[in-house]
Amino acid sequence: METARKAQEGRCVSPMSRIREEEGKVVVQLEVPGVKKDNVSVSIEDDQLQIFAARQDESVEGNYLIRERNCGSYEKYFTIDKSIDRDSINASMENGVLTIILQFKEEVKPRKIELKS
Amino acid sequence: MDLVRGRQGKNLDPMGDFERLQNEINNLFNFDYQGNRGLFDRPASPPVDVIEKAESLVIRCDMPGIRKEDLDLSLARNVLTIKGEKKPEEGNDDAKKYRNETWSGVFQRTIALPDSVDPNKVEADLHDGVLEIAIAKREEVKPRHINVKVS
């Protein structure tokens, strides 16, 4: 968490993202290559979803022949609305992709109403 | 009266200041800020770093969301080829999409390596979405330490 916070101080880039809505939830995926699971911080402050991810693999001494990758850590803010349940947010990392699952509140989810005969 | 504010504990070094300024300017151009890229400037293949170290050549490649099975590396006559496929996101197609900045598809990248590397000593590793390939240099080009005896 601490290292993730430090990301704010250095240069940050905003990661490429992908957001889709599935049944009863919103899935946010961010591409954060080079970030270990422990260096990610996902938090909610008021209506803001804050994501910091600190990059750790940038310590190579040598002569760069090609340099295309961006350096620096990742930072992204999303504003979320009232329909999202703040207490059931899940985040996971796999292959450099951070997946955050935001559940809708129960009262917003579509309900099936049984018909009584 | 001091006209030029001196740094504490350091002598005035005007040429050093110029050098620092030049480094700052050089760094400015090195920095590739992804957030500032335009719509059509997105990378069509994963970005690569090639770093030459004293005893090896390190190649790093950002590959978020690419699995080991979908990657194919080959080295022939000092030309390294990275082939792979980034699978599109799984899930049903009728899901409501809010945003998609990522790309998917097949990519290929060839990198001509300097003659100094040894194609038989290659190690590749994929972790946290970064592919790292280390190729050792040939023994005869590695820096050697030679002790000179003074009689």
Side-chain angles (χ1 to χ4, degrees):
Chain A
M1 282 296 238
E2 265 315 299
T3 39
R5 287 285 171 198
K6 273 183 200 150
Q8 297 168 74
E9 291 154 22
R11 286 192 292 223
C12 283
V13 294
S14 97
M16 291 294 164
S17 60
R18 194 159 62 200
I19 305 170
R20 66 175 192 273
E21 185 183 320
E22 280 178 11
E23 266 174 49
K25 62 187 180 189
V26 174
V27 181
V28 179
Q29 285 183 307
L30 300 166
E31 294 192 340
V32 288
V35 172
K36 287 195 169 53
K37 196 179 141 209
D38 303 334
N39 298 329
V40 179
S41 134
V42 180
S43 59
I44 285 189
E45 232 165 81
D46 298 328
D47 284 339
Q48 215 173 38
L49 180 69
Q50 305 180 337
I51 300 140
F52 301 107
R55 213 171 173 143
Q56 293 279 292
D57 64 333
E58 290 305 317
S59 53
V60 165
E61 289 283 315
N63 180 24
Y64 277 80
L65 303 177
I66 302 176
R67 188 169 208 163
E68 295 171 353
R69 296 163 70 216
N70 75 70
C71 49
S73 299
Y74 304 95
E75 178 186 52
K76 191 91 186 171
Y77 299 98
F78 292 111
T79 308
I80 54 176
D81 69 0
K82 296 273 181 270
S83 60
I84 301 292
D85 187 357
R86 307 287 197 267
D87 299 321
S88 61
I89 291 175
N90 255 313
S92 61
M93 276 283 279
E94 196 195 1
N95 286 340
V97 177
L98 173 67
T99 305
I100 302 165
I101 295 172
L102 307 160
Q103 297 280 353
F104 281 122
K105 280 180 186 161
E106 282 304 321
E107 59 259 37
V108 214
K109 283 184 188 172
R111 266 186 307 150
K112 196 163 172 109
I113 297 158
E114 294 288 323
L115 280 180
K116 279 178 197 161
S117 55
Chain B
M1 191 176 79
D2 271 347
L3 284 178
V4 181
R5 195 189 295 162
R7 268 180 295 280
Q8 278 187 329
K10 274 186 186 170
N11 294 328
L12 194 64
D13 180 15
M15 291 324 279
D17 281 340
F18 278 120
E19 207 180 307
R20 259 191 296 281
L21 181 67
Q22 192 170 19
N23 285 341
E24 292 267 325
I25 292 170
N26 285 346
N27 283 339
L28 211 61
F29 287 104
N30 282 341
F31 183 42
D32 198 6
Y33 186 63
Q34 199 171 2
N36 261 353
R37 283 191 190 149
L39 183 65
F40 301 106
D41 302 336
R42 287 197 199 143
S45 68
V48 173
D49 275 359
V50 179
I51 309 138
E52 189 176 9
K53 290 160 97 174
E55 303 210 332
S56 64
L57 198 75
V58 176
I59 295 149
R60 279 176 169 181
C61 192
D62 280 347
M63 302 197 155
I66 298 172
R67 289 172 304 166
K68 215 185 226 170
E69 305 90 81
D70 298 332
L71 265 181
D72 178 24
L73 301 175
S74 61
L75 186 62
R77 287 195 187 177
N78 278 15
V79 174
L80 176 75
T81 307
I82 305 170
K83 264 195 272 188
E85 186 182 359
K86 193 172 173 194
K87 298 266 167 74
E89 60 176 309
E90 66 270 17
N92 47 346
D93 286 334
D94 53 327
K96 193 173 167 189
K97 285 173 186 137
Y98 291 100
R99 184 190 286 221
N100 193 357
E101 296 166 339
T102 58
W103 61 276
S104 60
V106 183
F107 61 88
Q108 178 174 336
R109 187 81 197 250
T110 48
I111 299 164
L113 302 172
D115 286 333
S116 55
V117 298
D118 186 348
N120 298 318
K121 289 181 186 162
V122 190
E123 279 175 32
D125 179 31
L126 181 69
H127 56 89
D128 300 318
V130 176
L131 172 72
E132 186 165 326
I133 307 167
I135 308 170
K137 283 192 180 172
R138 274 188 258 166
E139 287 302 325
E140 57 261 34
V141 292
K142 280 184 188 171
R144 267 188 304 158
H145 192 76
I146 299 164
N147 285 322
V148 180
K149 277 182 198 159
V150 181
S151 52

